[in-house]
Amino acid sequence: MRPGITELADHKNQVVIYTDGACSGNPGPGGWGSVLMFNGHRREISGGEKETTNNRMEMMAVIRALGALKRPCEVIVHTDSTYVMKGITEWLAQWKRRNWKTAAKKPVKNQELWQELEEAIRHHQVHWKWVKGHSGVPGNERADELARNAIPPL
């Protein structure tokens, strides 16, 4: 077990998740990574796509992490993506009211992933925490490493 990560799961009745996405070019090949912690246990998951964007990978990291949970949970999701954080907590309701259009009346990018994310959080009590990327936070650094390692070769 990696030192410095497990102790971040300090709430015994909560699942703590760190997520990150990475892209080599934007668009280009990309990867996502997630670190899930609960009651002293840790699970790491990751994946990649040959043609994607960084924002899509950031979203996939959260979607796949929540999808890995076997039962409804109280969850703290740490993300360094303001796109994911603001999208789910601030923009989503407005997009839906405007029939998936932005304030500029353009189609919302990644609509299918926003719908998938909305469905994934429906089963859980999710608290969102923004963390500054590449700032030495162990869970975020590990999620970043998983994401970068999951980028498919060209």
Side-chain angles (χ1 to χ4, degrees):
M1 186 161 306
R2 258 180 125 74
I5 293 180
T6 303
E7 66 268 14
L8 297 174
D10 58 357
H11 300 93
K12 294 211 185 294
N13 296 321
Q14 296 172 328
V15 176
V16 175
I17 299 174
Y18 284 85
T19 64
D20 206 1
C23 222
S24 181
N26 198 18
W32 59 267
S34 302
V35 179
L36 298 88
M37 296 170 286
F38 176 73
N39 201 18
H41 299 280
R42 189 184 76 193
R43 179 176 177 199
E44 297 179 348
I45 58 175
S46 61
E49 296 179 14
K50 289 193 179 288
E51 185 68 18
T52 189
T53 65
N54 191 68
N55 282 341
R56 289 182 69 82
M57 293 294 91
E58 294 281 0
M59 294 177 75
M60 287 301 295
V62 179
I63 291 166
R64 294 295 180 249
L66 292 172
L69 301 176
K70 295 182 179 7
R71 61 180 170 77
C73 302
E74 183 175 356
V75 183
I76 300 174
V77 174
H78 294 81
T79 179
D80 63 8
S81 170
T82 55
Y83 176 72
V84 171
M85 180 88 168
K86 288 187 175 193
I88 200 67
T89 62
E90 297 176 27
W91 305 333
L92 183 66
Q94 297 167 34
W95 291 335
K96 288 171 64 177
R97 274 196 300 277
R98 291 192 293 256
N99 199 26
W100 292 99
K101 301 277 190 233
T102 66
K105 301 196 182 349
K106 298 195 190 263
V108 171
K109 291 181 182 177
N110 304 312
Q111 176 183 338
E112 77 286 358
L113 290 182
W114 288 114
Q115 291 169 323
E116 212 175 320
L117 180 55
E118 183 180 34
E119 177 63 18
I121 66 172
R122 187 173 67 83
H123 304 289
H124 308 286
Q125 182 182 352
V126 180
H127 307 280
W128 297 91
K129 303 274 185 183
W130 183 79
V131 58
K132 183 177 170 135
H134 309 289
S135 62
V137 175
N140 180 256
E141 296 292 339
R142 180 61 182 150
D144 177 67
E145 183 180 16
L146 291 167
R148 285 184 286 107
N149 289 341
I151 296 173
L154 292 174

